[in-house]
Amino acid sequence: MKNLWSRSKSSRTEEMDLLVYQSRLIGADSSLVVWGGGNTSIKTVRKDFRDRDTSVLLVKGSGSDLKTIDPKDFPSLRMEDVLALFDKTDMTDDDMVTYLGQCMLNPKDPRPSIETLLHAFLPYKSVIHSHADAIVSLTNTSEAKQILEDIYGSDVSIVEYIRPGFTLSKKVGLAVQNNPNVLGVVLMNHGLFTWGDDPKQAYDRHIDLVNKAENYARTKGKSKKVFTSNTNLKITPKDRKQIAAYISPTIRGLVSNNQSMVLRYDDSSDILEFVNSKEGQKLSQVGPATPDHTLQTKIKPLWVPISNSIDNQSLVKVLSDSVKRYVDEYIRWYQTNTDGNHKMLDPYPRVILVPGIGMWTTGKDYKSALIAGDIYHHTIKVLKTAESIGQYTSLSDKDAYDVEYWPMELYKLTLAPPQLELARKITMITGAANGIGKAIAERFAYEGSHLLIADVDYDGIHRLSEDLNRKYGNGRVTPVVMDVTKESDINAAFQILRTTYGGLDILVSNAGVAPVGAIDEIAISEWNRAFNVNATGHFLVSREAVRLMKQQELGGSLVFIGTRNIPAPGKDFGAYSASKAAEAQLARVLAIESAEHGIRCNIINPDAIFEGSNLWSVEVRRQRAKAHGVRIEELEQFYQKRNLLNVRITGADVAEATLFFASSRTSKTTGAMHPVDGGIRDAFPR
Ligand SMILES: [Zn+2]
């Protein structure tokens, strides 16, 4: 590991700048900390509310990430009050959090980290704490203490594993008090603390101690091959991707029994090396390395035992049996360790390992599935290093229970805001680059849904997806170029959907074209184009969606964007009206055929939406103006005036109605047709 401290970049003398610089250096290295793990602090002087100089601890606030941390993310706590706790012998997490809240110089700052007291009780200016893979690999090895002593001699203190909180902090404080010459503290099954007179010294020591661990493991473990390939497993990369895409919705269905999960598939080389090894199965079941690993990936991953020659159908059976077995074991583990105070959490795995195929991680959204995946990459690294120098050891069953059912963590869950209407959902929208499709994508993303947005307009969907991902977080929206008339495009898009999010809950079938012209004038090519997109396109996409939803066994909602023309056709618009009527009939048949699988299908009939729409080309406008006997510039006004409410219909209006049908608010409605047209008498049902 390289020491990346740059004198020129750290030339500022302000302590806060140095703290931020140091923290970001630590945060940028995923072998030190991942996703909000680790913390840093500095002890300094700040003015209190009466302008008095006050000794404070600036420590990373809860919920921030070292990689991107800013000065505002460090709450300041009055040291005099915090240090008074050192005389106590015991303290619950609750009392500690309440007490620390009272020590804050500015009560509006973020809550200080749960590991605050560890920083406070170390009597040094700058303190760094990481969960470095290299250190965890050593602490989680049989003979760990001997190894640590061989490497560090008397330079570090070693503190036995206990869950973070007051007691651990006090133990660390005492260890350093008794050994004032140590440069750091190694916490078993957890990580490393170092300190210094300034942020640079603390950083230098941190990197130095981690390097010693890395060098030891490299030298000691170089002759041992930890993962030996299971030669029975010969699946080509192409087959692997196809099998993965096929079984993803099955897995999603199996693990979403209590609540819908988002899945992420991963077949990177370290994952494949692990799942394809003879040792993987046994090692994966030993237990979690640290509290962080436990919180993100539960006590164990699910290992699905498959052989090389398995076909898709038997794979589904093996998956289903394996998930059931996992849940049974989880329940047993919970019952053995529970004190009866906490209800059992979701018993389904967060990490699923399938030999020959790869890994799925699950979460309430894409981001948490990604975090679980990242953590498991580090788990594999830790397992590999530990096994190369000895034998991997983990937290005990009881310790893992105490972390997963940590009252602090459970309390955090209760603070989470209520879930958005489409949280945990996955939606596919066709024709999403502009107009109605775009408005629906914006509304659904706002409501928490994950989106696969499809369109023939490459720039349009990429622009939209960048915009939405910036607003709602990377990975929430995935763009695919797809022509709804091409089966190959649709298959490719569904392959991406299956492996990116694991399945599908909602299809908004929206893509359409609007050829104009009287029946006796329209060319066969235009007629065919209308039917290809407006009828066959909906058929091809919904056929694939229904196949997936049936396999997933979680029900689903199909929303077809129709048109006011279905109940009330207009002249010179025959190809459009007839093809859209075919779409409506298709939707009704889907409602009939899919109901037994809990899949609903409803139709929305908007009237003329102009804003941002590609449908209303100059040619269409010219023709429709002619058909209605108005001037082209009067056309929008004409459509507005002809509805009873005299209102302009917008994409947002259609998005609202689409949300209504997509969500559980209409869980008992299928085969319905809903107008969004301001009230048009001709379109009333007769
Ligand atoms: Zn920690």
Side-chain angles (χ1 to χ4, degrees), residues 158-196:
I158 299 164
V159 173
E160 285 295 341
Y161 174 80
I162 31 171
R163 196 176 67 191
F166 176 83
T167 312
L168 176 65
S169 310
K170 175 127 183 187
K171 271 197 169 182
V172 168
L174 287 173
V176 173
Q177 215 171 54
N178 297 333
N179 305 283
N181 295 324
V182 293
L183 306 173
V185 172
V186 170
L187 305 181
M188 295 299 286
N189 309 95
H190 184 158
L192 174 69
F193 271 88
T194 60
W195 48 80

mmCIF file of all heavy atoms in Angstrom, residues 158-196:
data_model
loop_
_atom_site.group_PDB
_atom_site.id
_atom_site.type_symbol
_atom_site.label_atom_id
_atom_site.label_comp_id
_atom_site.label_asym_id
_atom_site.label_seq_id
_atom_site.Cartn_x
_atom_site.Cartn_y
_atom_site.Cartn_z
ATOM 1 N N ILE A 158 -3.089 -5.208 21.451
ATOM 2 C CA ILE A 158 -4.141 -6.021 20.830
ATOM 3 C C ILE A 158 -5.312 -6.090 21.797
ATOM 4 O O ILE A 158 -5.132 -6.390 22.976
ATOM 5 C CB ILE A 158 -3.615 -7.437 20.540
ATOM 6 C CG1 ILE A 158 -2.435 -7.340 19.563
ATOM 7 C CG2 ILE A 158 -4.712 -8.325 19.968
ATOM 8 C CD1 ILE A 158 -1.607 -8.591 19.488
ATOM 9 N N VAL A 159 -6.498 -5.771 21.303
ATOM 10 C CA VAL A 159 -7.676 -5.788 22.177
ATOM 11 C C VAL A 159 -8.658 -6.831 21.649
ATOM 12 O O VAL A 159 -8.997 -6.840 20.463
ATOM 13 C CB VAL A 159 -8.334 -4.386 22.243
ATOM 14 C CG1 VAL A 159 -9.644 -4.440 23.018
ATOM 15 C CG2 VAL A 159 -7.373 -3.390 22.879
ATOM 16 N N GLU A 160 -9.098 -7.707 22.545
ATOM 17 C CA GLU A 160 -10.029 -8.790 22.197
ATOM 18 C C GLU A 160 -11.312 -8.244 21.587
ATOM 19 O O GLU A 160 -11.729 -7.129 21.909
ATOM 20 C CB GLU A 160 -10.417 -9.567 23.468
ATOM 21 C CG GLU A 160 -9.348 -10.490 23.988
ATOM 22 C CD GLU A 160 -9.046 -11.634 23.025
ATOM 23 O OE1 GLU A 160 -9.887 -11.916 22.149
ATOM 24 O OE2 GLU A 160 -7.959 -12.225 23.145
ATOM 25 N N TYR A 161 -11.984 -9.080 20.800
ATOM 26 C CA TYR A 161 -13.224 -8.631 20.175
ATOM 27 C C TYR A 161 -14.317 -8.390 21.203
ATOM 28 O O TYR A 161 -14.612 -9.250 22.028
ATOM 29 C CB TYR A 161 -13.751 -9.662 19.155
ATOM 30 C CG TYR A 161 -15.106 -9.224 18.630
ATOM 31 C CD1 TYR A 161 -15.186 -8.262 17.629
ATOM 32 C CD2 TYR A 161 -16.294 -9.696 19.198
ATOM 33 C CE1 TYR A 161 -16.413 -7.793 17.195
ATOM 34 C CE2 TYR A 161 -17.526 -9.230 18.759
ATOM 35 C CZ TYR A 161 -17.580 -8.280 17.760
ATOM 36 O OH TYR A 161 -18.790 -7.802 17.342
ATOM 37 N N ILE A 162 -14.889 -7.212 21.182
ATOM 38 C CA ILE A 162 -16.234 -6.998 21.722
ATOM 39 C C ILE A 162 -16.923 -5.990 20.812
ATOM 40 O O ILE A 162 -16.256 -5.222 20.126
ATOM 41 C CB ILE A 162 -16.301 -6.457 23.182
ATOM 42 C CG1 ILE A 162 -15.093 -5.576 23.507
ATOM 43 C CG2 ILE A 162 -16.545 -7.515 24.199
ATOM 44 C CD1 ILE A 162 -15.278 -4.883 24.849
ATOM 45 N N ARG A 163 -18.234 -6.023 20.828
ATOM 46 C CA ARG A 163 -18.992 -5.129 19.962
ATOM 47 C C ARG A 163 -18.672 -3.673 20.319
ATOM 48 O O ARG A 163 -18.537 -3.351 21.496
ATOM 49 C CB ARG A 163 -20.487 -5.401 20.177
ATOM 50 C CG ARG A 163 -21.372 -4.850 19.105
ATOM 51 C CD ARG A 163 -22.803 -5.259 19.359
ATOM 52 N NE ARG A 163 -23.337 -4.637 20.571
ATOM 53 C CZ ARG A 163 -24.491 -4.986 21.136
ATOM 54 N NH1 ARG A 163 -25.208 -5.961 20.617
ATOM 55 N NH2 ARG A 163 -24.917 -4.379 22.219
ATOM 56 N N PRO A 164 -18.527 -2.793 19.313
ATOM 57 C CA PRO A 164 -18.231 -1.391 19.616
ATOM 58 C C PRO A 164 -19.239 -0.791 20.596
ATOM 59 O O PRO A 164 -20.409 -1.136 20.574
ATOM 60 C CB PRO A 164 -18.348 -0.713 18.244
ATOM 61 C CG PRO A 164 -18.046 -1.781 17.262
ATOM 62 C CD PRO A 164 -18.569 -3.052 17.866
ATOM 63 N N GLY A 165 -18.749 0.079 21.439
ATOM 64 C CA GLY A 165 -19.601 0.699 22.453
ATOM 65 C C GLY A 165 -18.705 1.180 23.580
ATOM 66 O O GLY A 165 -17.474 1.240 23.435
ATOM 67 N N PHE A 166 -19.315 1.503 24.714
ATOM 68 C CA PHE A 166 -18.549 2.056 25.828
ATOM 69 C C PHE A 166 -17.436 1.115 26.297
ATOM 70 O O PHE A 166 -16.289 1.516 26.478
ATOM 71 C CB PHE A 166 -19.485 2.382 27.000
ATOM 72 C CG PHE A 166 -18.741 2.865 28.202
ATOM 73 C CD1 PHE A 166 -18.353 4.194 28.303
ATOM 74 C CD2 PHE A 166 -18.380 1.987 29.224
ATOM 75 C CE1 PHE A 166 -17.628 4.640 29.395
ATOM 76 C CE2 PHE A 166 -17.653 2.429 30.325
ATOM 77 C CZ PHE A 166 -17.278 3.760 30.410
ATOM 78 N N THR A 167 -17.779 -0.170 26.485
ATOM 79 C CA THR A 167 -16.817 -1.102 27.081
ATOM 80 C C THR A 167 -15.577 -1.256 26.214
ATOM 81 O O THR A 167 -14.448 -1.246 26.717
ATOM 82 C CB THR A 167 -17.485 -2.475 27.308
ATOM 83 O OG1 THR A 167 -18.742 -2.238 27.941
ATOM 84 C CG2 THR A 167 -16.651 -3.373 28.176
ATOM 85 N N LEU A 168 -15.779 -1.385 24.904
ATOM 86 C CA LEU A 168 -14.623 -1.503 24.007
ATOM 87 C C LEU A 168 -13.767 -0.235 24.089
ATOM 88 O O LEU A 168 -12.538 -0.299 24.177
ATOM 89 C CB LEU A 168 -15.084 -1.747 22.561
ATOM 90 C CG LEU A 168 -13.961 -1.801 21.518
ATOM 91 C CD1 LEU A 168 -13.043 -2.995 21.765
ATOM 92 C CD2 LEU A 168 -14.516 -1.860 20.091
ATOM 93 N N SER A 169 -14.430 0.922 24.109
ATOM 94 C CA SER A 169 -13.692 2.188 24.150
ATOM 95 C C SER A 169 -12.839 2.270 25.412
ATOM 96 O O SER A 169 -11.681 2.678 25.375
ATOM 97 C CB SER A 169 -14.659 3.373 24.123
ATOM 98 O OG SER A 169 -15.571 3.221 23.070
ATOM 99 N N LYS A 170 -13.441 1.872 26.512
ATOM 100 C CA LYS A 170 -12.706 1.949 27.778
ATOM 101 C C LYS A 170 -11.515 0.981 27.757
ATOM 102 O O LYS A 170 -10.416 1.324 28.197
ATOM 103 C CB LYS A 170 -13.658 1.618 28.934
ATOM 104 C CG LYS A 170 -12.958 1.567 30.265
ATOM 105 C CD LYS A 170 -13.595 2.439 31.306
ATOM 106 C CE LYS A 170 -12.772 2.384 32.583
ATOM 107 N NZ LYS A 170 -13.373 3.048 33.700
ATOM 108 N N LYS A 171 -11.746 -0.220 27.216
ATOM 109 C CA LYS A 171 -10.656 -1.206 27.143
ATOM 110 C C LYS A 171 -9.491 -0.663 26.320
ATOM 111 O O LYS A 171 -8.327 -0.829 26.679
ATOM 112 C CB LYS A 171 -11.163 -2.488 26.469
ATOM 113 C CG LYS A 171 -11.754 -3.477 27.429
ATOM 114 C CD LYS A 171 -11.837 -4.828 26.749
ATOM 115 C CE LYS A 171 -12.173 -5.908 27.754
ATOM 116 N NZ LYS A 171 -12.211 -7.224 27.157
ATOM 117 N N VAL A 172 -9.828 -0.035 25.202
ATOM 118 C CA VAL A 172 -8.783 0.511 24.331
ATOM 119 C C VAL A 172 -8.053 1.645 25.059
ATOM 120 O O VAL A 172 -6.820 1.722 25.059
ATOM 121 C CB VAL A 172 -9.391 0.994 22.994
ATOM 122 C CG1 VAL A 172 -8.392 1.812 22.197
ATOM 123 C CG2 VAL A 172 -9.861 -0.205 22.175
ATOM 124 N N GLY A 173 -8.829 2.505 25.717
ATOM 125 C CA GLY A 173 -8.232 3.616 26.467
ATOM 126 C C GLY A 173 -7.260 3.099 27.525
ATOM 127 O O GLY A 173 -6.137 3.606 27.660
ATOM 128 N N LEU A 174 -7.684 2.053 28.250
ATOM 129 C CA LEU A 174 -6.827 1.497 29.308
ATOM 130 C C LEU A 174 -5.589 0.831 28.722
ATOM 131 O O LEU A 174 -4.480 0.963 29.255
ATOM 132 C CB LEU A 174 -7.621 0.483 30.144
ATOM 133 C CG LEU A 174 -8.671 1.091 31.088
ATOM 134 C CD1 LEU A 174 -9.515 -0.004 31.735
ATOM 135 C CD2 LEU A 174 -8.009 1.964 32.162
ATOM 136 N N ALA A 175 -5.790 0.117 27.597
ATOM 137 C CA ALA A 175 -4.650 -0.572 26.969
ATOM 138 C C ALA A 175 -3.558 0.434 26.630
ATOM 139 O O ALA A 175 -2.366 0.173 26.827
ATOM 140 C CB ALA A 175 -5.111 -1.308 25.717
ATOM 141 N N VAL A 176 -3.962 1.586 26.137
ATOM 142 C CA VAL A 176 -2.976 2.592 25.736
ATOM 143 C C VAL A 176 -2.385 3.294 26.966
ATOM 144 O O VAL A 176 -1.195 3.619 27.004
ATOM 145 C CB VAL A 176 -3.616 3.585 24.748
ATOM 146 C CG1 VAL A 176 -2.681 4.740 24.447
ATOM 147 C CG2 VAL A 176 -3.983 2.855 23.463
ATOM 148 N N GLN A 177 -3.239 3.471 27.975
ATOM 149 C CA GLN A 177 -2.734 4.071 29.219
ATOM 150 C C GLN A 177 -1.618 3.196 29.820
ATOM 151 O O GLN A 177 -0.610 3.693 30.297
ATOM 152 C CB GLN A 177 -3.889 4.156 30.216
ATOM 153 C CG GLN A 177 -3.843 5.371 31.102
ATOM 154 C CD GLN A 177 -5.126 5.491 31.911
ATOM 155 O OE1 GLN A 177 -5.525 4.549 32.616
ATOM 156 N NE2 GLN A 177 -5.771 6.633 31.824
ATOM 157 N N ASN A 178 -1.829 1.876 29.723
ATOM 158 C CA ASN A 178 -0.845 0.953 30.293
ATOM 159 C C ASN A 178 0.382 0.759 29.406
ATOM 160 O O ASN A 178 1.400 0.257 29.858
ATOM 161 C CB ASN A 178 -1.491 -0.417 30.557
ATOM 162 C CG ASN A 178 -2.599 -0.293 31.588
ATOM 163 O OD1 ASN A 178 -2.559 0.618 32.431
ATOM 164 N ND2 ASN A 178 -3.597 -1.162 31.510
ATOM 165 N N ASN A 179 0.244 1.068 28.119
ATOM 166 C CA ASN A 179 1.381 0.925 27.188
ATOM 167 C C ASN A 179 1.557 2.216 26.399
ATOM 168 O O ASN A 179 1.276 2.272 25.206
ATOM 169 C CB ASN A 179 1.125 -0.213 26.187
ATOM 170 C CG ASN A 179 0.816 -1.517 26.881
ATOM 171 O OD1 ASN A 179 1.707 -2.181 27.380
ATOM 172 N ND2 ASN A 179 -0.459 -1.860 26.917
ATOM 173 N N PRO A 180 2.018 3.264 27.056
ATOM 174 C CA PRO A 180 2.021 4.584 26.399
ATOM 175 C C PRO A 180 2.937 4.667 25.181
ATOM 176 O O PRO A 180 2.845 5.626 24.419
ATOM 177 C CB PRO A 180 2.487 5.537 27.503
ATOM 178 C CG PRO A 180 3.078 4.683 28.566
ATOM 179 C CD PRO A 180 2.540 3.307 28.430
ATOM 180 N N ASN A 181 3.768 3.659 24.956
ATOM 181 C CA ASN A 181 4.683 3.758 23.812
ATOM 182 C C ASN A 181 4.151 3.133 22.529
ATOM 183 O O ASN A 181 4.817 3.184 21.499
ATOM 184 C CB ASN A 181 6.030 3.115 24.153
ATOM 185 C CG ASN A 181 6.717 3.901 25.257
ATOM 186 O OD1 ASN A 181 6.609 5.132 25.300
ATOM 187 N ND2 ASN A 181 7.375 3.202 26.161
ATOM 188 N N VAL A 182 2.961 2.510 22.594
ATOM 189 C CA VAL A 182 2.471 1.861 21.375
ATOM 190 C C VAL A 182 2.079 2.907 20.328
ATOM 191 O O VAL A 182 1.754 4.051 20.653
ATOM 192 C CB VAL A 182 1.267 0.918 21.647
ATOM 193 C CG1 VAL A 182 1.693 -0.268 22.484
ATOM 194 C CG2 VAL A 182 0.107 1.668 22.271
ATOM 195 N N LEU A 183 2.115 2.489 19.061
ATOM 196 C CA LEU A 183 1.791 3.392 17.944
ATOM 197 C C LEU A 183 0.387 3.145 17.406
ATOM 198 O O LEU A 183 -0.114 3.901 16.579
ATOM 199 C CB LEU A 183 2.791 3.180 16.799
ATOM 200 C CG LEU A 183 4.264 3.295 17.167
ATOM 201 C CD1 LEU A 183 5.139 2.889 15.986
ATOM 202 C CD2 LEU A 183 4.574 4.728 17.595
ATOM 203 N N GLY A 184 -0.204 2.043 17.869
ATOM 204 C CA GLY A 184 -1.536 1.728 17.364
ATOM 205 C C GLY A 184 -2.186 0.634 18.177
ATOM 206 O O GLY A 184 -1.547 0.018 19.038
ATOM 207 N N VAL A 185 -3.478 0.418 17.919
ATOM 208 C CA VAL A 185 -4.214 -0.660 18.578
ATOM 209 C C VAL A 185 -4.882 -1.504 17.499
ATOM 210 O O VAL A 185 -5.514 -0.957 16.588
ATOM 211 C CB VAL A 185 -5.304 -0.102 19.530
ATOM 212 C CG1 VAL A 185 -6.193 -1.227 20.057
ATOM 213 C CG2 VAL A 185 -4.678 0.653 20.685
ATOM 214 N N VAL A 186 -4.696 -2.822 17.601
ATOM 215 C CA VAL A 186 -5.413 -3.721 16.692
ATOM 216 C C VAL A 186 -6.605 -4.292 17.446
ATOM 217 O O VAL A 186 -6.449 -4.840 18.535
ATOM 218 C CB VAL A 186 -4.498 -4.865 16.203
ATOM 219 C CG1 VAL A 186 -5.314 -5.922 15.467
ATOM 220 C CG2 VAL A 186 -3.402 -4.317 15.292
ATOM 221 N N LEU A 187 -7.795 -4.109 16.878
ATOM 222 C CA LEU A 187 -8.998 -4.679 17.479
ATOM 223 C C LEU A 187 -9.281 -6.005 16.781
ATOM 224 O O LEU A 187 -9.436 -6.040 15.558
ATOM 225 C CB LEU A 187 -10.205 -3.755 17.279
ATOM 226 C CG LEU A 187 -10.078 -2.316 17.761
ATOM 227 C CD1 LEU A 187 -11.378 -1.564 17.492
ATOM 228 C CD2 LEU A 187 -9.755 -2.274 19.244
ATOM 229 N N MET A 188 -9.334 -7.077 17.542
ATOM 230 C CA MET A 188 -9.570 -8.392 16.941
ATOM 231 C C MET A 188 -10.912 -8.403 16.209
ATOM 232 O O MET A 188 -11.897 -7.833 16.694
ATOM 233 C CB MET A 188 -9.568 -9.477 18.031
ATOM 234 C CG MET A 188 -8.226 -9.653 18.715
ATOM 235 S SD MET A 188 -6.929 -10.159 17.568
ATOM 236 C CE MET A 188 -7.377 -11.871 17.311
ATOM 237 N N ASN A 189 -10.956 -9.056 15.053
ATOM 238 C CA ASN A 189 -12.164 -9.150 14.217
ATOM 239 C C ASN A 189 -12.793 -7.794 13.928
ATOM 240 O O ASN A 189 -14.007 -7.667 13.854
ATOM 241 C CB ASN A 189 -13.240 -10.043 14.875
ATOM 242 C CG ASN A 189 -12.700 -11.372 15.305
ATOM 243 O OD1 ASN A 189 -12.326 -11.539 16.460
ATOM 244 N ND2 ASN A 189 -12.609 -12.299 14.384
ATOM 245 N N HIS A 190 -11.969 -6.786 13.799
ATOM 246 C CA HIS A 190 -12.553 -5.459 13.606
ATOM 247 C C HIS A 190 -11.655 -4.524 12.789
ATOM 248 O O HIS A 190 -12.004 -4.170 11.674
ATOM 249 C CB HIS A 190 -12.886 -4.860 14.979
ATOM 250 C CG HIS A 190 -13.586 -3.544 14.915
ATOM 251 N ND1 HIS A 190 -14.345 -3.052 15.940
ATOM 252 C CD2 HIS A 190 -13.633 -2.591 13.957
ATOM 253 C CE1 HIS A 190 -14.839 -1.871 15.610
ATOM 254 N NE2 HIS A 190 -14.413 -1.574 14.405
ATOM 255 N N GLY A 191 -10.488 -4.135 13.305
ATOM 256 C CA GLY A 191 -9.690 -3.179 12.538
ATOM 257 C C GLY A 191 -8.536 -2.582 13.312
ATOM 258 O O GLY A 191 -8.036 -3.175 14.269
ATOM 259 N N LEU A 192 -8.151 -1.372 12.903
ATOM 260 C CA LEU A 192 -6.912 -0.765 13.389
ATOM 261 C C LEU A 192 -7.122 0.688 13.803
ATOM 262 O O LEU A 192 -7.871 1.422 13.157
ATOM 263 C CB LEU A 192 -5.878 -0.814 12.243
ATOM 264 C CG LEU A 192 -4.537 -0.104 12.454
ATOM 265 C CD1 LEU A 192 -3.698 -0.835 13.512
ATOM 266 C CD2 LEU A 192 -3.759 -0.014 11.141
ATOM 267 N N PHE A 193 -6.451 1.092 14.890
ATOM 268 C CA PHE A 193 -6.378 2.503 15.290
ATOM 269 C C PHE A 193 -4.923 2.951 15.262
ATOM 270 O O PHE A 193 -4.050 2.217 15.735
ATOM 271 C CB PHE A 193 -6.889 2.686 16.727
ATOM 272 C CG PHE A 193 -8.361 2.928 16.815
ATOM 273 C CD1 PHE A 193 -9.243 1.860 16.906
ATOM 274 C CD2 PHE A 193 -8.868 4.219 16.800
ATOM 275 C CE1 PHE A 193 -10.603 2.076 16.981
ATOM 276 C CE2 PHE A 193 -10.229 4.441 16.876
ATOM 277 C CZ PHE A 193 -11.102 3.366 16.966
ATOM 278 N N THR A 194 -4.677 4.133 14.695
ATOM 279 C CA THR A 194 -3.359 4.758 14.879
ATOM 280 C C THR A 194 -3.586 6.219 15.226
ATOM 281 O O THR A 194 -4.694 6.738 15.079
ATOM 282 C CB THR A 194 -2.488 4.709 13.607
ATOM 283 O OG1 THR A 194 -3.170 5.405 12.562
ATOM 284 C CG2 THR A 194 -2.162 3.300 13.187
ATOM 285 N N TRP A 195 -2.543 6.886 15.651
ATOM 286 C CA TRP A 195 -2.660 8.290 16.046
ATOM 287 C C TRP A 195 -1.346 9.009 15.816
ATOM 288 O O TRP A 195 -0.337 8.380 15.466
ATOM 289 C CB TRP A 195 -3.071 8.398 17.516
ATOM 290 C CG TRP A 195 -2.230 7.514 18.393
ATOM 291 C CD1 TRP A 195 -0.981 7.774 18.859
ATOM 292 C CD2 TRP A 195 -2.573 6.206 18.849
ATOM 293 N NE1 TRP A 195 -0.519 6.708 19.594
ATOM 294 C CE2 TRP A 195 -1.475 5.730 19.615
ATOM 295 C CE3 TRP A 195 -3.695 5.386 18.707
ATOM 296 C CZ2 TRP A 195 -1.475 4.480 20.215
ATOM 297 C CZ3 TRP A 195 -3.685 4.144 19.314
ATOM 298 C CH2 TRP A 195 -2.582 3.702 20.062
ATOM 299 N N GLY A 196 -1.376 10.307 16.030
ATOM 300 C CA GLY A 196 -0.155 11.083 15.872
ATOM 301 C C GLY A 196 -0.357 12.498 16.377
ATOM 302 O O GLY A 196 -1.470 12.875 16.766
#
